[in-house]
Structures are given as C-alpha cells and as structure tokens.
Amino acid sequence: MGERKYFGTDGIRGKANAHPMTAEVALRVGLAAGRLFNTGDDRRHLVVIGKDTRLSGYMLEPALVAGFASVGMDVRTFGPLPTPGVAMMTRSMRADLGVMISASHNDYADNGIKLFGPDGYKLSDEFELKIEAMMDASLGEGLAPSNRLGRVKRIDDAPPRYIEIAKQAFPKRLSLKGLRIAIDCANGAGYKVAPTTLYELGAEVFSVGVEPNGTNINADCGSTHPETLSAAVKRYRADIGIALDGDADRLIICDERGQVVDGDQIMALIGLDAHKRGRLDGGGVVATVMSNLGLERRLKAEGLTLERTKVGDRYVMERMREGGFNIGGEQSGHIILHDHATTGDGLMAALQVLAVLVDSGKPMSELARQFDAVPQLLKNVRFNSERPLETAGVKAAIAEAENALNGSGRLLVRPSGTEKLIRVMAEGDDEALVKRVVEDVAGAVRAAG
C-alpha cells in the first residue's frame, strides 16, 4: 500500500484550519472524490454530507460542496447527524458517496472528513489512495461545463428518517415505558436524534450534553468523560445511563449505581443474548487486539470464538464481512451490529442493551458484569529513533515477557497509528506480573530511544 499523505486510519483528521484540515484540502477532497465517483454516464450523481456540531464544520462543508458541485455532482446536506446516520442515508438515498465531517471523540479544535461508498461502508484503503493521488492535481482539472454543474439542497428529513430506522431495531414486543434513562450526547451529532428516539419508544429521558455551541463538543461530557454521565444517573435516579461520543458512533453505559460498563462488557451482553436467541452469526464476536482476555474466556465457555483484528472499527467491520459475523466492536465502545448498520452506532447498540434490560427485568448492575475482566495495563512510550521495535534489546525484553506470561496472559506491543508512540499492553491473572512485564518492555523501548 502506498504512503498516505492525507488519509489516516479513520479518514482525514487534524487541527481545524491547519493543514490538512483546511478549506483548501476539503475543496480538493470534493474535486477528487467527485471526479472518481462521477462515472460519466447520463444519470445525475449524488453525494450526501452530514456533520457534527463543531464550529469548523461551517468552514469545511461549503468547501466540500463547492468541490463536488464544480465537477457535476449533486449534493444533499443534512446538517448535524450521527456518522451511522450518514452511512445509512448514503444507501437509503442511492447516493454514490457519503461524507461525514467530524473528529469523533476529539476536542472541538480538531475536525475530520470520513467517506462512505454507495453501500454505506467506509471507503476501502484502495479508494482512499486513488482519491489522494487525484487531490494534488490542478484545481482547474476535470471541471464540469456550466450547464452540468451539480445542484445543492439542504435535506431536513434525514434526522427523522434515522430515528425511524433506529426504532425499527428495537423489538416490537418490548417498550421502554417506566424506564428512567439518563443520556449524555456529548454536545455532538446525536443531541437531537438520540433523546427523541428513546422518548418515542416510551422512556422517561433525562438529557445532558444537548446544548451544542460549536466549541463544547466532548468538553467534559460524552463517552470520553463518563463521570458526567455517572453524576447524571445518580442525580436523576436513572435505571441506566448512556453516553455517546461527538459523532455518536460509540457509546459507554452506566448502571443504576453510576458504575461504568465498557465496550467489552456491552459486546458480551449483546452477543450472548443473541446467541441464546439463535441470532448470533459466525459462531462468535469480532473485536480488536485491545479487548480483554476475560471476554475471550467467557465466549469460549459458551463454545463461541473471539476473533481479533488490528485496532480500528474499519478492520473489525472488514473481518465481520469476510467471516459472516453480525456482532463486533471495540473496548472503547464502537459496537457494530451488522443486522442494523454498516458502521459503529452508539444509539443502535444502546437500544440492544435496553432490550436485554427490559426483557430480563434485572437491574443494569446485574447485567453489567458478563465476565470478570483480567488485570490489563497499557503504557504509551514516546520514541525518537527510527524503529525501536527492531532493536535487539526490545526484542529480548518482549521474548522474556512472553515467556514470563507463559500462556496465562497476553502481551501486545504496537506503534500508534497517529503519533510517535509505542503502546505496550499486557494482561493476565497475576496483576503484579502484568505490571512487571509492561515496565520491563516499556523500559527497553525507552532505552532504545
């Protein structure tokens, strides 16, 4: 695969109004992606664009629109809509391409551009590299004649359509009547659709993080700051708490005591319930190398597998599609329910948890411990040298650590996809041993510079 200049593991991302997150780059994305997906046949070609609530969305959206329209693509803009909603609408409206403007769980000062193909799945690496190759062309290349320019419209019915699709994912035989739900929408893309969906299904809804002002997205709220949700659960005496991130494609849950439930426990809860109903495809669940060993053991006890992929929900999705799995996700709270969505969807996942909660009649605190997590420790080590993992010292430390864990745990050493960091993670039943091996390997990486 070629060296990436703009696209990272999740689209293009960076500080707003600094390269590559400038109006110029957004314009170039529109021009390049528009040319690539405008196949030149006689029909009108269509791109749909959604965004979260960041101030910089108002700068990037018009630039993308200008790029697409100038190469002859029609554009529909949705305004704030969750990432999974944009993926859904791309398919539902028979668009050639979908675009989400968001930096997900990052601070408001960042932004990003994510692209979806006509099938609603994130674009493959191959397509992203083709777009990159075209992005540095002259701005005057491939422009449409003046009578073939794209037409642009704002579509107001995207949020209600997404709400209806989400409601369909909740079992008809159940209702949320009598349930008190606290929801933290991170002042992000789900701030309207998520509370509305829960209310329409019958719940009593207590919302926080639903007053976006352009700069407060993810600010001390949402899935990256669960303490806000935990406090809301206690304040409103809620039966369950749900926190989304800025683009609403991930969630974390709090039980009625305000205790946080991570993505691994959520996957176990949804996966084992689906298995019990004969609705789990692929004979297991797909997660990343970061998921806890306790999850793997719990699934194994039920005769199910845990398939692991590289970190990143796109890799989880790829493996799910290859192996025919319908449930997967990440410890961080990206949960992918392939029966309902083509990408992680915080609201859809929350509805599945709520279905189990209502159906079981148990309090959330009883459902939250699907397995005992084994001690897990992660250290990030900065480095300056070229390839610290290839030095003899680091290799020896890794071999020694693996030998010490000897089948009773796991060691994972990997470079970060976005920074000059080596991530050293170990887990196992013996907490002291886990701590020791992480420190030994981290020390060796430091020594390698």
Side-chain angles (χ1 to χ4, degrees), residues 179 239-240 352-364 367:
L179 211 60
D239 299 303
I240 186 173
Q352 301 313 304
V353 172
L354 288 166
V356 181
L357 179 69
V358 172
D359 217 18
S360 71
K362 291 177 179 166
M364 190 61 216
L367 299 174

Side-chain angles (χ1 to χ4, degrees), residues 2 37 57 102 165 170 184 215 241 276 324 331 341 353 388 391 440:
F37 283 84
S102 174
I165 294 169
F170 190 74
D184 179 348
T215 60
K276 197 171 79 185
Q331 189 183 53
V353 172
T391 64
D440 288 353

Side-chain angles (χ1 to χ4, degrees), residues 204-233:
E204 203 178 336
V205 184
F206 302 91
S207 309
V208 295
V210 288
E211 292 171 5
N213 63 12
T215 60
N216 61 1
I217 188 168
N218 301 315
D220 296 324
C221 58
S223 63
T224 45
H225 298 277
E227 60 282 0
T228 302
L229 176 66
S230 182
V233 166

